[in-house]
């Protein structure tokens, strides 16, 4: 049985403003949803590929899956180049059918992905038991996945960039923006003005006024991390795990033998209401884990809540919109915000230097 929670946090997304009363948009670097993330790196976006094909067409859907897959290895290369792995590890990913009724959709998913060159195995009940001692009707085993400490990656990137001349001003809230003929002006809460030729908005779940709130539905999500376990069997550490049920339960382990569990999403983003549920939600998450692996005792170290956003097709919004001339957006909404951020960085670099990028349409605001 899990011990009583020793501590629980409500980590901000900045919308939450719940970490400390004074900490909101003018927070320190990396304390948005990046500090709440569970750090799973998956190419599977929130919408299964066979459904995404129906929404955006086969070409764009397949391309978006391939982009996210390439992003995992791109992030691996990046942390090697930075000289700090930021706990990056390659992993496999196990997508469990939550009930028998979901097996058919797993089969469809298996065929569309393998037909498009993605390495995958479809495990039936017996194989799943043999490999993982898990009692589920079926699962997809993906060979391309990873995990990372995204907060550390953020600081490692910023350190490297500031060594190359980047100036960082945290605790500085931008309250207004004006587009001029040849430049854009940002205004801070203290009425300082910043002029630039181009601006990149990478402001998490704070939706810039004018973009339209309908591009994303904000939700609350919950997570728990255990204290380090003495040892964890390979069947637990080998894969990131998640399931077909929505909202889904997901988990991974860490290099120091902790179990990190997330899910139990709520359809609202009211910070006060969300935060009042953290203890109850984390108990539920631990119970789910213990049902899967009854022989493993978890002691909870921390539990927390955060905001995340869902889009109509599970894809991020990246690029330009005519409502904001000379501005670029990196809005990695959805469960894959980290891989989306990597894709956004490449796309926005190309837009800035005028290099054609074939992926613009996939993540466009007017799609
Ligand atoms: C509990 C949880 C688990 C998650 N798990 C995963 C996962 O396993 N894998 C995955 O890929 N993704 C996951 N995500 C999503 C992922 O964490 C986010 O998509 C990602 O961290 C977003 O990074 P970001 O830099 O775009 O936004 P943020 O980290 O939110 O940073 C945005 C920053 O902009 C600042 N800001 C906003 N508005 C203003 C303003 N007006 N003026 C000045 N500053 C401003 C904020 O203060 C903040 O610091 C998870 C999210 C949550 C909440």
């Amino acid at each position: 049985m899990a011990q009583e929670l020793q501590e629980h946090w409500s980590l901000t997304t900045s919308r939450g403003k719940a970490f400390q009363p004074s900490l909101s948009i003018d927070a320190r670097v990396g304390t948005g949803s990046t500090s709440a993330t569970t750090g799973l790196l998956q190419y599977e976006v929130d919408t299964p590929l066979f459904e995404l094909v129906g929404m955006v067409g086969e070409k764009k859907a397949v391309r978006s899956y391939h982009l996210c897959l390439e992003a995992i290895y791109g992030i691996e290369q990046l942390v090697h180049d930075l000289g700090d792995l930021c706990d990056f590890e390659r992993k496999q990913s196990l997508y469990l059918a939550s009930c028998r009724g979901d097996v058919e959709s797993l089969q469809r998913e298996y065929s569309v992905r393998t037909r498009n060159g993605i390495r995958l195995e479809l495990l039936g009940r017996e194989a799943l038991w043999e490999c993982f001692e898990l009692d589920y009707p079926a699962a997809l085993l993906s060979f391309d996945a990873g995990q990372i400490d995204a907060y550390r990656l953020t600081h490692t990137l910023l350190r490297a960039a500031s060594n190359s001349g980047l100036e960082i001003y945290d605790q500085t809230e931008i309250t207004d923006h004006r587009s001029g003929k040849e430049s854009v002006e940002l205004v801070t809460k203290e009425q300082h003005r910043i002029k630039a030729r181009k601006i990149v908005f990478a402001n998490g779940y704070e939706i810039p006024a004018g973009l339209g709130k309908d591009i994303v539905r904000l939700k609350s999500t919950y997570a728990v991390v255990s204290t380090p376990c003495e040892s964890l069997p390979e069947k637990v550490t080998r894969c990131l795990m998640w399931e077909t049920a929505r909202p889904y339960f997901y988990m991974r382990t860490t290099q120091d033998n902790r179990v990190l569990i997330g899910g139990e999403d709520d359809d609202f983003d009211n910070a006060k209401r969300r935060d009042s549920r953290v203890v109850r939600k984390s108990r539920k998450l631990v119970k789910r884990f213990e049902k899967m692996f009854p022989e493993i005792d978890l002691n909870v170290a921390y539990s927390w809540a955060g905001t995340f956003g869902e889009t109509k097709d599970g894809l991020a919004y990246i690029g330009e919109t005519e409502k904001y001339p000379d501005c670029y957006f990196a809005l990695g909404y959805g469960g894959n915000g980290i891989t989306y951020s990597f894709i956004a960085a490449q796309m926005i670099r190309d837009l800035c230097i005028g290099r054609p990028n074939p992926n613009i349409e996939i993540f466009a605001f007017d799609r």
Side-chain angles (χ1 to χ4, degrees), residues 13-14 24-28 30-41 172-175 202-206 221-223 250 304 306-308 330 332 334-339 341:
T13 71
S14 46
S24 59
I25 286 177
D26 49 357
R28 292 200 175 275
T31 54
S33 48
T34 295
S35 62
T37 190
T38 41
L40 282 71
L41 300 177
T172 307
E173 180 175 347
I174 301 299
T175 51
N203 49 328
Y205 299 112
E206 297 296 333
T221 187
Y222 304 86
Y250 63 91
W304 65 95
T307 299
F308 81 104
N336 297 59
I338 306 170
T339 41
S341 299

Side-chain angles (χ1 to χ4, degrees), residues 211-241:
L211 278 191
K213 299 241 176 237
D214 56 336
I215 60 169
V216 63
R217 229 177 32 197
L218 296 178
K219 296 186 159 197
S220 298
T221 187
Y222 304 86
V224 165
V225 67
S226 75
T227 55
C229 301
E230 224 161 79
S231 66
L232 287 170
E234 203 248 342
K235 65 176 183 179
V236 181
T237 59
R238 177 171 152 194
C239 294
L240 317 176
M241 293 190 193

Side-chain angles (χ1 to χ4, degrees), residues 54-110:
M55 292 178 181
V56 301
E58 178 141 2
K59 201 169 157 213
K60 284 185 191 163
V62 170
R63 181 80 191 121
S64 63
Y65 264 61
H66 278 290
L67 280 172
C68 289
L69 197 152
E70 288 159 18
I72 297 170
Y73 296 106
I75 291 170
E76 181 179 33
Q77 183 60 50
L78 175 69
V79 290
H80 275 103
D81 293 347
L82 286 167
D84 179 346
L85 294 189
C86 302
D87 287 353
F88 177 92
E89 270 186 276
R90 281 192 192 187
K91 288 279 168 180
Q92 296 182 357
S93 162
L94 194 64
Y95 185 43
L96 297 155
S98 307
C99 61
R100 261 189 295 176
D102 289 344
V103 175
E104 198 200 322
S105 62
L106 277 200
Q107 285 164 341
R108 290 179 69 185
E109 186 64 10
Y110 173 76

Side-chain angles (χ1 to χ4, degrees), residues 143-160:
F143 298 97
D144 303 289
Q147 61 187 41
I148 197 156
D149 178 342
Y151 178 77
R152 182 160 162 182
L153 174 61
T154 303
H155 280 271
T156 307
L157 278 169
L158 289 174
R159 199 173 308 119

